[in-house]
Amino acid sequence: MPEIKTLTVLGTGVLGSQIAYQAAFHGFAVTAYDLDDEALEKARARFAHLAGIYRAQKVAGVEEGQAEAALANLRLTADLGTAVANADLVIEAVPERIELKRDLYRKIADLAPAKTIFATNSSTLLPSDLKDFTGRPDHFLAIHYANNIWVQNIAEVMGTAETDPAVFDAVVDFARNSGLEPIEIKKEKAGYVLNSLLVPLLNAAAGLLLQGIASPETIDKTWRIATGAPSGPFQIYDVVGLGTAYNIAASSPDAGSQAFAKYLKDNYIDKGKLGISTGEGFYTY
Ligand code: NAD
């Protein structure tokens, strides 16, 4: 089984910065790549912010000085060749645009050594949509993290029919060694396991609200009490962010989704209420 010691993360936005920091926190040598110095400055600020969160929240396994030590394991570069030259694993977390991702894989296919495993963190694309651009379909798969990975600490690992099983196992091991619970997915599935469960729940809750069946509080209370879950669907909407919920609903041709998008826009988005991040959404924080 290939051994993973060095990680390179492409894209240092919301998820890329968390993936890089989490691995550095667990002792991996991490290189973070983004387009230019301006993006790298933002990445530095994100890493410092994450160090503060990990320290304050006493993330599992945190010892005195560990949050700062993680920063010393992180190297930043805007040079793609340098970024991937020594990587055992490259995790791609660039914007969710298929042509942008394909173009990046075409480039690193030539720049990275043959041993390097590539993994996409894409939420909506299948690894099959990208594998033919990697130059190494047997060394390519998806590893999908959830936002706020120090708390929602799962990593869904999903290969294509061409992924070498030893590569799959190595990435599962990497996930575990970087403090995450690996979720092994045996077949390609849009939405992985998490969103295959979560999206229908959230859609059903939106339907109940729009049809005037029950209030968000009542729907959430039902779900919490009857299943023992800590949060109901509208509490989850507030965590995900109503801007994201709006974008997803608005991009669906389905009439129910369009109605929910309009509801979110009129009652929340246009009033600057985006959920927990702005202090108000379905609930006030
Ligand atoms: P983001 O917009 O916050 O960050 C994207 C980063 O990529 C930016 O720093 C940008 O400068 C950089 N970038 C743009 N073009 C690039 C290029 N050609 N090469 C290298 N870097 C480039 O996006 P995000 O929310 O972190 O999402 C990234 C990926 O992670 C997407 O595929 C998304 O589906 C997935 N994801 C996101 C979430 C989430 O909650 N945000 C959760 C799970 C998975």
Side-chain angles (χ1 to χ4, degrees):
M1 183 164 75
E3 203 180 354
I4 296 173
K5 286 188 173 153
T6 56
L7 170 69
T8 292
V9 179
L10 306 179
T12 59
V14 175
L15 254 284
S17 59
Q18 294 180 23
I19 295 166
Y21 185 83
Q22 172 79 14
F25 184 80
H26 285 274
F28 287 89
V30 180
T31 302
Y33 164 84
D34 214 303
L35 291 174
D36 51 31
D37 288 344
E38 199 187 329
L40 294 183
E41 266 320 300
K42 284 190 194 153
R44 269 189 201 95
R46 286 181 192 274
F47 292 144
H49 180 65
L50 287 167
I53 291 176
Y54 278 55
R55 199 172 38 240
Q57 299 197 353
K58 302 214 180 332
V59 168
V62 73
E63 288 165 18
E64 192 62 29
Q66 197 179 342
E68 288 69 27
L71 296 173
N73 291 338
L74 282 160
R75 198 170 61 115
L76 288 93
T77 179
D79 183 284
L80 192 55
T82 309
V84 300
N86 294 311
D88 296 322
L89 172 64
V90 170
I91 298 180
E92 166 270 305
V94 303
E96 194 73 340
R97 298 208 303 275
I98 192 164
E99 278 315 319
L100 186 146
K101 287 188 193 272
R102 285 178 173 170
D103 188 48
L104 186 59
Y105 282 112
R106 273 189 209 103
K107 287 184 188 145
I108 59 171
D110 294 332
L111 292 169
K115 65 156 190 176
T116 306
I117 299 167
F118 293 168
T120 181
N121 179 48
S122 173
S123 294
T124 61
L125 300 171
L126 291 171
S128 281
D129 297 329
L130 303 168
K131 70 175 170 52
D132 293 337
F133 303 85
T134 63
R136 61 197 73 204
D138 59 337
H139 273 54
F140 178 65
L141 74 178
I143 181 166
H144 184 241
Y145 295 80
N147 194 11
N148 296 350
I149 68 178
W150 59 94
V151 194
Q152 328 307 72
N153 61 334
I154 59 164
E156 298 182 277
V157 182
M158 184 172 84
T160 72
E162 285 175 64
T163 307
D164 179 343
V167 165
F168 184 94
D169 291 346
V171 172
V172 167
D173 264 15
F174 161 77
R176 193 175 290 116
N177 293 337
S178 53
L180 292 144
E181 184 63 41
I183 307 296
E184 299 187 38
I185 300 183
K186 294 175 179 168
K187 273 187 192 174
E188 269 189 302
K189 167 78 177 78
Y192 304 84
V193 170
L194 175 61
N195 285 335
S196 297
L197 294 168
L198 187 58
V199 172
L201 172 73
L202 295 181
N203 285 342
L208 291 171
L209 172 64
L210 288 193
Q211 292 158 39
I213 310 286
S215 69
E217 291 78 8
T218 299
I219 294 167
D220 282 357
K221 186 170 64 177
T222 310
W223 188 252
R224 284 196 311 268
I225 295 175
T227 68
S231 318
F234 292 98
Q235 292 171 286
I236 298 175
Y237 272 121
D238 277 355
V239 172
V240 170
L242 301 190
T244 302
Y246 170 79
N247 288 336
I248 295 170
S251 66
S252 164
D254 171 71
S257 298
Q258 288 296 320
F260 187 52
K262 182 169 177 349
Y263 179 88
L264 286 175
K265 185 169 185 312
D266 293 349
N267 293 288
Y268 296 97
I269 313 285
D270 287 351
K271 296 178 179 166
K273 300 177 183 175
L274 302 181
I276 284 185
S277 66
T278 58
E280 193 169 353
F282 286 104
Y283 297 87
T284 305
Y285 300 91

